Amino acid sequence: MTEEMTQGGLNRRMFMAGTAAVAASVALWPKEMRAQAAGRKFAASLGWTTYDSGRHLQDGFNAAVAELGGELTMTDAGFDARVQSDQIDSLVATKPEALFITPADAVAIAPAVERAIAAGIPVFCADSAVPGAIVTTTAMSNNFGMGQYSCEYICKALNGKGKIARVMLPQNESWDQRTLGMEWTLRRYPEVEIVTEWAFALAGNVSPRQAVDNILTSHPDVDAIWCAWDGAAVEGTLAARAAGRNDLILTGIDGGSQAFNYIAADTPLKLSMAQSFYEMAYLDVFYAHELLAGRNTPRLISTPTYAVTKDMLQDGIPDNFDVPGEAEKMGWSRAL
């Protein structure tokens, strides 16, 4: 079920009966309400549109606006917080009825988000929360839980004993929660030792591939590498192949066809915590319409995450698993 917290602070479980409930709710909207929504003016400031995650977020926003009504102006900051802040200010000047944001660096763009709210524009965030900003709705994954789950997978695969490395993603407060979840899991596995680590920096000169190359050179006996996102896990898999380490275990977080292909091919990448990016974006648009229609909206939504392993990909590589209802058709159950 989708877990939510209302703006009044009350927990609300089972508000939507499974992920298909969003689509079902849309079907129940009166035709006159859809006609009224057709003239809505929306804007979206995306922190990035690259990778499977960015593409699925973009697809979710576009599909929701097309289905629910309205017009959408969209910008892409390319992971540059300064650019995104400027783009938010520019979008606010156009006076949209709602603003959708996917923050690449939530702390850095917080002042721009607060300026949007102060201008009277309701803000809806996807993938990450913006600290200090009272946005209307944030739809995101359980980042702490994803870090826990993927680390647990490694610890069990090593039978509770071994040497691991980690590639972290501290750029965003929400993403950094994955590392905290990983650390919490390790408290129960005292014989699993972190022998080295590397923190990715968007403005840095070292790529994840180079980082994992260095890890395998300095620690050739490492058993597994926990990665805070799939991009690092994929590049780490290439490094493992180059080093002849097909026995290495890597895990990632994000989901999407690129990571799924590596998992299905029985490479060192064994697990991806697949997030529902499409659904995050769709929910933002859905609740923007709800707000504008005078109805209550949830403050926080925890969207489904699927722990994808090779056995789940035997029938092919899905690209629409995060469209509401599609994962269930494939027999997938949410892990978080």
Side-chain angles (χ1 to χ4, degrees):
M1 302 297 175
T2 300
E3 298 178 7
E4 304 175 356
M5 179 172 288
T6 66
Q7 293 190 40
L10 298 176
N11 289 323
R12 292 166 54 184
R13 296 178 183 271
M14 300 179 67
F15 178 81
M16 301 191 310
T19 56
V22 175
S25 298
V26 174
L28 294 174
W29 278 17
K31 290 183 178 180
E32 60 272 16
M33 188 176 296
R34 296 194 203 180
Q36 181 183 11
R40 301 273 187 213
K41 182 180 177 182
F42 300 119
S45 170
L46 306 189
W48 73 100
T49 57
T50 53
Y51 309 116
D52 286 328
S53 59
R55 178 170 56 85
H56 283 221
L57 285 163
Q58 189 174 30
D59 288 348
F61 284 122
N62 283 326
V65 171
E67 293 172 16
L68 304 179
E71 299 177 0
L72 180 64
T73 300
M74 188 179 296
T75 60
D76 175 9
F79 287 110
D80 190 316
R82 181 188 59 78
V83 170
Q84 186 168 25
S85 294
D86 290 343
Q87 290 174 341
I88 289 172
D89 287 336
S90 296
L91 291 172
V92 168
T94 69
K95 298 182 179 180
E97 294 179 76
L99 175 63
F100 311 122
I101 298 176
T102 60
D105 188 334
V107 173
I109 70 167
V113 175
E114 291 175 337
R115 288 194 293 272
I117 296 170
I121 297 173
V123 175
F124 297 77
C125 288
D127 184 55
S128 298
V130 177
I134 305 177
V135 306
T136 301
T137 295
T138 298
M140 60 188 291
S141 302
N142 178 348
N143 285 281
F144 188 92
M146 292 190 295
Q148 282 184 295
Y149 193 107
S150 53
C151 185
E152 180 86 19
Y153 178 92
I154 288 175
C155 292
K156 288 182 176 179
L158 298 179
N159 294 315
K161 185 177 182 179
K163 297 179 179 181
I164 67 173
R166 62 181 181 179
V167 179
M168 302 175 293
L169 188 62
Q171 185 73 27
N172 182 301
E173 184 185 32
S174 295
W175 300 341
D176 193 47
Q177 296 294 312
R178 303 170 187 179
T179 299
L180 297 179
M182 182 253 194
E183 291 172 348
W184 179 252
T185 293
L186 287 179
R187 292 175 180 271
R188 295 187 289 106
Y189 293 92
E191 293 187 273
V192 175
E193 176 190 4
I194 299 176
V195 295
T196 189
E197 63 186 27
W198 177 71
F200 177 69
L202 288 172
N205 296 321
V206 180
S207 69
R209 169 63 192 272
Q210 292 168 326
V212 177
D213 281 334
N214 293 337
I215 288 171
L216 296 178
T217 298
S218 59
H219 297 276
D221 59 343
V222 71
D223 299 304
I225 301 178
W226 176 91
C227 297
W229 80 107
D230 279 346
V234 167
E235 292 191 36
T237 297
L238 298 176
R241 282 179 167 177
R245 287 297 312 275
N246 291 327
D247 61 319
L248 194 68
I249 299 170
L250 288 104
T251 62
I253 294 172
D254 276 338
S257 56
Q258 184 184 39
F260 293 166
N261 272 293
Y262 277 90
I263 294 171
D266 202 23
T267 70
L269 180 51
K270 301 300 183 185
L271 169 76
S272 174
M273 301 302 294
Q275 304 183 71
S276 297
F277 292 111
Y278 182 105
E279 184 169 351
M280 293 177 197
Y282 202 108
L283 282 163
D284 274 358
V285 178
F286 177 83
Y287 281 113
H289 279 293
E290 289 289 279
L291 179 72
L292 294 171
R295 290 187 285 273
N296 290 334
T297 59
R299 180 74 70 194
L300 178 66
I301 306 173
S302 179
T303 50
T305 300
Y306 305 94
V308 178
T309 53
K310 182 182 177 181
D311 61 305
M312 297 168 64
L313 302 171
Q314 293 179 354
D315 295 329
I317 307 299
D319 193 47
N320 64 340
F321 70 93
D322 56 346
V323 174
E326 292 301 319
E328 287 78 2
K329 293 178 183 177
M330 296 185 292
W332 291 13
S333 298
R334 64 183 293 175
L336 298 170

